[in-house]
Amino acid sequence: MNVMEPQGLKDRVALVTGGSSGIGKASSLAFAEAGAKVVIADENTVGGEKIVCQIKESGGEALFVRVDVSQTKEVEMLIQQIIKKYGRLDCAHNNAGIEGDIAKTNECSEENWDKVINTNLKSIWLCMKYEIPEMVRQKYGVIVNTSSVYGLVGSERGMPAYVASKHGIIGLTKTAALEYAKSGIRINTVCAGAVDTPFRDRLVNKTQGRYEDSERYPIGRIAEPREVAEAVTWLCSDAASFITGSTIVIDGGLTAR
């Protein structure tokens, strides 16, 4: 077996937030292909239910839960619903996020700042707050949080809240990984560059085509969602059993310069 294949995911229960499109959709499908039972959490009911149908038609098992991951009670109820149905939670890909408005630091509105930080960073903390106790109880669990290359570098495109949120995810992940390393829980971050998703399409429109064109990438193209999803499922698999507190960069060499 290829060491990069997601070993040991069959019949495990995997949660994907923001799972109805883009990286989350690819991650949901990748978990299902590896034999996991997938819980797709998103505000987009139509998109989420569509992915559930796709997984079931392929012989897999999936559940959609509509949730706003920036709201405490909704996240708490999400985890309770997973435990009620499956009795456990083995893997979580905390992936939901938004780009927010494009505006320089002094032009960023307080409303935009709060919305982006709550959706991108607070949501990661809330998800882990309720995921971790279940994983501690069962003495096993893997969490992968989605950051970005903008969690590693700054941006001159006018995205202060987004960049701050993505930097924060990396620090939060490292701290939680250290706190629960001896509890059988591994927690890592993935940082992707531009990925061919609706998220990127929105940024291209908002920045008049200036956002992350393929020429900026040493590899000569942007990523496909599945390329990020494969890293996520690998991190959740037994093949990555000694990896925790790490930041996996998937950016075609962009930040190597």
Side-chain angles (χ1 to χ4, degrees):
M1 176 179 287
N2 187 322
V3 294
M4 291 298 289
E5 289 181 356
Q7 305 169 29
L9 290 179
K10 184 173 174 53
D11 294 326
R12 289 185 181 172
V13 179
L15 165 65
V16 181
T17 70
S20 69
S21 67
I23 292 171
K25 173 183 175 180
S27 180
S28 298
L29 295 173
F31 274 118
E33 287 170 9
K37 300 171 183 176
V38 186
V39 179
I40 299 168
D42 205 303
E43 288 190 284
N44 181 353
T45 302
V46 174
E49 292 286 8
K50 194 172 184 180
I51 305 306
V52 167
C53 289
Q54 188 174 342
I55 290 172
K56 288 182 176 179
E57 286 171 0
S58 299
E61 184 170 350
L63 168 72
F64 173 75
V65 180
R66 189 186 185 283
V67 60
D68 178 349
V69 289
S70 69
Q71 300 299 312
T72 302
K73 288 298 182 184
E74 293 194 30
V75 174
E76 184 179 17
M77 290 178 64
L78 165 67
I79 303 305
Q80 288 175 350
Q81 192 167 340
I82 294 170
I83 300 305
K84 182 177 180 180
K85 182 169 180 63
Y86 294 114
R88 60 187 297 112
L89 174 62
D90 300 298
C91 310
H93 181 195
N94 297 325
N95 168 74
I98 59 173
E99 72 280 3
D101 297 336
I102 304 300
K104 292 182 179 180
T105 300
N106 69 307
E107 298 168 347
C108 177
S109 68
E110 185 173 358
E111 179 184 9
N112 179 66
W113 177 272
D114 289 344
K115 183 176 181 180
V116 173
I117 295 297
N118 286 342
T119 304
N120 292 5
L121 180 57
K122 180 185 175 184
S123 69
I124 298 282
W125 167 68
L126 278 177
C127 285
M128 291 200 294
K129 179 179 176 65
Y130 292 102
E131 291 160 356
I132 287 172
E134 297 302 330
M135 293 177 175
V136 169
R137 178 182 59 80
Q138 64 198 30
K139 299 179 181 178
Y140 173 83
V142 188
I143 296 171
V144 178
N145 296 322
T146 297
S147 180
S148 164
V149 290
Y150 286 125
L152 303 169
V153 300
S155 169
E156 59 190 29
R157 288 173 169 78
M159 302 168 66
Y162 181 82
V163 172
S165 71
K166 294 302 183 178
H167 272 72
I169 289 168
I170 293 174
L172 177 62
T173 299
K174 289 180 178 180
T175 296
L178 293 173
E179 291 171 338
Y180 296 98
K182 291 190 170 81
S183 300
I185 302 169
R186 295 188 295 105
I187 310 175
N188 295 291
T189 310
V190 290
C191 291
V195 184
D196 188 11
T197 64
F199 181 98
R200 176 181 179 269
D201 293 341
R202 291 195 302 271
L203 278 179
V204 169
N205 289 332
K206 288 181 178 182
T207 60
Q208 290 77 53
R210 293 182 291 110
Y211 176 77
E212 304 294 19
D213 53 32
S214 59
E215 287 74 20
R216 295 187 66 222
Y217 287 80
I219 208 167
R221 63 176 178 83
I222 63 172
E224 293 296 326
R226 63 174 178 78
E227 294 176 300
V228 182
E230 286 168 2
V232 171
T233 53
W234 177 73
L235 283 170
C236 289
S237 76
D238 295 342
S241 58
F242 200 62
I243 301 177
T244 195
S246 292
T247 302
I248 307 300
V249 184
I250 310 160
D251 71 350
L254 182 68
T255 56
R257 289 190 169 118

